[in-house]
Amino acid sequence: RFHRHRKIVLYLLIPAKLAACLSKQDEGAFASPTLLDKYGLPELADLVSAFQVGNVKAFERNLVVHEDLYVRKKIFLQLTKLRLLLYRNLLKRCCTLLLSVHNVPPSQTGRVKIAHLCAAAQAGGWDVDEIELECVLGMLIKKTIIKGNLDKERATVIFPPRTSKPSFPRAT
């Protein structure tokens, strides 16, 4: 009963929910695959899983393949705005990994070379070069999606002292 109405609501609710919840630790942050399968929304299931793990390639591929559907459902613009948050999720994982590999203590600032960050992002499935990554990092820092500074002379990103990982504030 009311299956069609619930499906319409899910199409509108899921992109808004993705924009509102930025960390995987939030309970119920992402729509479960069983819920999306129940209402016949496999395209959104793929999108949510790509967003959840920070897979830029899968996210972009899903947007291209289902662009007509997303435009008809009037959620394409919302989904394209999620790109910055997707970059943030992926870069957060890469920075946490790189800083733990280099054994940076939590009381010190984290300096990460852009080349290392680029290699980690490419390993995560994002086809990006160092110049593009530097532009994305600059945009994320300017919009206060992440905290840090770019050191162009040394080609590094400097994160403030951290408790257990780089400081990435929640977007509003």
Side-chain angles (χ1 to χ4, degrees):
R1 188 169 183 204
F2 304 114
H3 186 80
R4 188 171 155 261
H5 293 277
R6 289 181 184 157
K7 189 173 180 177
I8 292 168
V9 168
L10 282 174
Y11 263 114
L12 299 174
L13 183 65
I14 289 171
K17 186 100 169 159
L18 288 177
C21 61
L22 300 178
S23 69
K24 194 175 178 181
Q25 291 81 18
D26 293 342
E27 280 298 314
F30 300 105
S32 68
T34 54
L35 174 73
L36 297 173
D37 287 340
K38 177 181 176 181
Y39 289 99
L41 304 171
E43 62 280 350
L44 283 180
D46 296 340
L47 194 79
V48 169
S49 66
F51 185 83
Q52 195 170 11
V53 298
N55 189 341
V56 176
K57 188 183 285 186
F59 186 85
E60 295 291 337
R61 186 178 338 109
N62 187 293
L63 281 181
V64 170
V65 169
H66 301 291
E67 182 178 356
D68 293 337
L69 174 68
Y70 295 148
V71 169
R72 268 189 321 213
K73 298 291 183 182
K74 299 176 182 156
I75 59 169
F76 186 73
L77 186 59
Q78 282 180 303
L79 294 175
T80 55
K81 287 183 179 182
L82 290 176
R83 278 191 183 117
L84 285 179
L85 301 178
L86 179 68
Y87 297 154
R88 175 201 171 273
N89 288 350
L90 177 63
L91 292 173
K92 179 179 179 180
R93 292 173 194 270
C94 293
C95 287
T96 303
L97 175 72
L98 289 171
L99 291 175
S100 66
V101 165
H102 294 300
N103 294 324
V104 177
S107 60
Q108 293 181 355
T109 58
R111 294 177 184 262
V112 179
K113 291 197 174 284
I114 293 178
H116 296 167
L117 196 58
C118 185
Q122 288 172 347
W126 184 15
D127 187 25
V128 65
D129 61 356
E130 290 181 31
I131 295 170
E132 184 182 355
L133 182 63
E134 188 175 338
C135 291
V136 169
L137 281 167
M139 187 175 10
L140 291 172
I141 290 170
K142 182 179 179 185
K143 292 186 174 196
T144 65
I145 295 174
I146 63 172
K147 292 181 182 177
N149 294 317
L150 283 174
D151 184 358
K152 291 188 180 194
E153 293 175 8
R154 295 186 181 123
T156 60
V157 183
I158 304 166
F159 295 106
R162 58 198 171 91
T163 54
S164 62
K165 55 188 169 191
S167 179
F168 291 84
R170 293 186 167 274
T172 55

